[in-house]
Amino acid sequence: MPKFVLLWTDAAIWLLVIAAVAYILHVRRRPNLIASWRKVFSDAPALASAVVLFVGIVITLADSVHFRSVLPAAAGAPEGSVAYDTRTQSVLDATLRRLLDARETTYSRPLAYQSFTRESVEVDGRIERVGPRLHFGGAHLERPSEQWAGDVALRALAGLVGGLLLTALIGAGIVAMVARRSREPWRDAARQIAYGETMIPWRAAIATVLGVALVGGIIVALMGRYHVFGTDVTGNDVLYQTLKSIRTAFVIGSLATLATLPLAVVLGIVGGYFRGWIDEAIQYLYTVLSSIPNILLIAACVLMVQVFIDKHPELFQTGLERADLKLFLLCAVLGLTGWAGLCRLLRAETLKLREFDYVQAAQAFGVGSARIMTRHVFPNVAHLMLIVTVLDFSSLILYEAVLSYVGVGVDPSMNSFGGMINFARNEMSRDPVVWWPFAAAFSFMVTLVLAANLFADGVRDAFDPRSRAFRPRVIRSKPSAA
């Protein structure tokens, strides 16, 4: 039985999962919230982006269950004694164990069977510069120059077939669900989905699943024998680093966003409701905070955190725990320095709400200020919190990339998109250019940020009546019985 390790960010991520489940149960009891979220998923780009974000969430959760494996019993050890590995790994690490162990000497191109760096080898009495064979990539090929192209094509085709089968299975499940809810035959339900006649644009969801399944199928089929995205200067697989960076992006995007809520909500509502000197003090506080450059303020806070961690090494059993605490505190720093915008927005909305008749009536009946703010003001500004939270998610992912690029981001031992781009800075300036680490990190980060932005647009259009854009939809007429 392995020894499970609960990191700071693991606990935060699973608490967020519990909170999300509780919110879903709360939404199911509120018809108005059900209608708003139905509008979110009625937007095809928002639904397609939700599929991409769901894949990222699954990878994040798989990388948020950490444990230490049991070591074999040593000779002469007391009976019943158990020793654990000093390395802490996650479920994702165990799943990608083959990639983790397939370490090469140095750089290698994507899907290559030879090293990118050439070595001097004697061939027929002459010294030639050739790339040596990789230890893992294409090691199963006996005649790589003849077999490589056919082997890659065959494995990619097998991955495409697997992706098509997975998409067909998911599509059949969606058709069955639509047919059961509409009480129509499967053929009619499939036709409605194909023509885009359903209230929820399932056609866009199935198309997104198809794209993700095809790309994922090819990667899964090839990563067993090749380095799909190549290797870096130390010979580590770039695909493994990219998948591990997804958790870092989700942790920063979610925890840092939620860390802004307590101060922003409390100060914004209190300042807008009481006005007077309380409002002026709160305005002065967030005005001063907004006048300080964010990069400098965050860098100073991160450096203080780093000094604390360096002076207390006895608090950490492994290097992963040390890096995880720094990531957790970085999220807290981003939250404590980024609440001014939401606070200003909530203050302005509270100033308007406190003049409404139901608030004035509650004050006339002697209802306490705390109860008015919690029962009448807070529920009517909750949609703004949701919109800003979703919108800030993608911006914080990009913020982490900037901070890691300047050297004040996450710990260098932890994989992140910003760290990969920072390490690729020197690789892009060499000749020949080592482009694949930067390309992998950039493509995955852009995909994740784009999906978050599209989903945020759908949430904003559904929950903010002033920004809704109604799009006409063509409904095809059903064929006659004749």
Side-chain angles (χ1 to χ4, degrees):
M1 182 73 179
K3 179 182 179 181
F4 287 95
V5 178
L6 184 63
L7 302 177
W8 286 89
T9 54
D10 291 344
I13 287 294
W14 290 108
L15 285 176
L16 285 179
V17 172
I18 296 174
V21 173
Y23 179 73
I24 292 173
L25 297 177
H26 173 71
V27 169
R28 295 184 63 181
R29 296 193 299 266
R30 298 295 181 92
N32 59 327
L33 292 179
I34 293 176
S36 297
W37 281 108
R38 185 177 289 116
K39 292 176 183 176
V40 173
F41 293 108
S42 297
D43 185 25
L47 183 60
S49 62
V51 175
V52 177
L53 293 176
F54 177 77
V55 175
I57 291 173
V58 171
I59 296 175
T60 301
L61 295 181
D63 202 18
S64 298
V65 179
H66 289 88
F67 60 92
R68 294 167 64 182
S69 304
V70 178
L71 295 176
E79 184 178 356
S81 62
V82 180
Y84 296 98
D85 193 354
T86 57
R87 296 175 301 175
T88 303
Q89 57 181 339
S90 65
V91 174
L92 183 65
D93 295 332
T95 305
L96 303 176
R97 190 67 191 178
R98 187 175 179 86
L99 294 181
L100 188 60
D101 295 336
R103 185 172 180 176
E104 306 293 348
T105 304
T106 182
Y107 293 114
S108 65
R109 290 187 177 91
L111 300 177
Y113 59 87
Q114 287 181 324
S115 176
F116 180 74
T117 304
R118 298 179 180 274
E119 298 179 358
S120 299
V121 179
E122 185 177 354
V123 179
D124 297 332
R126 295 178 303 174
I127 302 299
E128 295 184 2
R129 299 282 293 176
V130 297
R133 287 289 302 272
L134 299 177
H135 300 298
F136 173 80
H140 63 291
L141 301 176
E142 297 180 358
R143 301 183 304 277
S145 59
E146 301 175 4
Q147 299 173 340
W148 176 80
D151 185 70
V152 170
L154 186 61
R155 292 179 182 276
L157 181 60
L160 289 175
V161 173
L164 289 174
L165 292 177
L166 178 61
T167 305
L169 182 62
I170 296 176
I174 294 176
V175 171
M177 180 185 64
V178 173
R180 186 179 71 253
R181 289 186 175 182
S182 61
R183 297 181 180 180
E184 294 183 356
W186 280 42
R187 180 178 299 177
D188 294 342
R191 183 188 61 81
Q192 292 177 5
I193 293 175
Y195 289 153
E197 298 177 358
T198 55
M199 183 63 66
I200 304 297
W202 294 113
R203 180 176 61 179
I206 295 176
T208 307
V209 170
L210 176 62
V212 173
L214 292 180
V215 175
I218 294 175
I219 292 176
V220 171
L222 290 172
M223 73 179 186
R225 294 294 183 180
Y226 298 94
H227 298 287
V228 180
F229 293 154
T231 57
D232 60 3
V233 64
T234 57
N236 294 314
D237 191 87
V238 175
L239 173 61
Y240 173 80
Q241 299 176 31
T242 307
L243 294 178
K244 293 284 288 184
S245 300
I246 293 177
R247 178 184 182 271
T248 305
F250 268 90
V251 167
I252 290 180
S254 57
L255 297 188
T257 303
L258 294 179
T260 63
L261 294 182
L263 283 175
V265 173
V266 173
L267 296 180
I269 294 179
V270 169
Y273 182 81
F274 287 108
R275 298 186 297 186
W277 67 270
I278 298 178
D279 185 27
E280 292 178 359
I282 294 175
Q283 288 185 69
Y284 180 80
L285 179 61
Y286 67 64
T287 301
V288 172
L289 182 63
S290 300
S291 64
I292 304 175
N294 282 342
I295 294 293
L296 297 180
L297 182 61
I298 294 173
C301 296
V302 170
L303 290 177
M304 288 189 293
V305 168
Q306 185 65 45
V307 171
F308 170 79
I309 293 176
D310 292 339
K311 288 186 176 181
H312 299 84
E314 69 279 0
L315 300 177
F316 316 103
Q317 296 182 1
T318 60
L320 180 61
E321 295 180 7
R322 178 179 180 275
D324 183 80
L325 179 60
K326 183 179 179 181
L327 175 62
F328 183 81
L329 294 178
L330 175 62
C331 296
V333 168
L334 290 174
L336 294 177
T337 57
W339 56 270
L342 179 59
C343 179
R344 185 182 291 110
L345 181 63
L346 295 180
R347 171 190 169 272
E349 189 70 13
T350 305
L351 285 173
K352 181 182 69 175
L353 291 174
R354 74 180 309 276
E355 304 298 333
F356 282 8
D357 293 339
Y358 59 87
V359 176
Q360 298 291 334
Q363 292 175 346
F365 279 105
V367 180
S369 299
R371 186 173 179 82
I372 292 176
M373 287 187 289
T374 55
R375 290 291 302 272
H376 299 293
V377 178
F378 178 77
N380 288 285
V381 299
H383 69 284
L384 296 177
M385 296 162 45
L386 179 62
I387 294 171
V388 173
T389 299
V390 178
L391 288 173
D392 287 347
F393 177 85
S394 57
S395 61
L396 284 169
I397 295 176
L398 297 175
Y399 219 88
E400 179 273 328
V402 175
L403 292 176
S404 297
Y405 185 79
V406 298
V408 293
V410 300
D411 194 85
S413 62
M414 179 169 287
N415 295 292
S416 68
F417 293 128
M420 293 181 66
I421 294 174
N422 184 31
F423 292 147
R425 176 172 49 182
N426 295 329
E427 297 170 350
M428 294 294 291
S429 60
R430 58 170 289 172
D431 187 25
V433 176
V434 180
W435 53 268
W436 47 91
F438 175 81
F442 182 79
S443 59
F444 271 70
M445 184 179 67
V446 168
T447 302
L448 185 61
V449 171
L450 179 62
N453 285 336
L454 292 176
F455 187 75
D457 290 342
V459 172
R460 181 191 59 196
D461 294 342
F463 284 86
D464 190 359
R466 293 170 296 183
S467 63
R468 289 177 185 170
F470 296 96
R471 304 181 182 91
R473 185 174 62 224
V474 178
I475 304 297
R476 302 175 186 272
S477 60
K478 294 184 179 180
S480 60

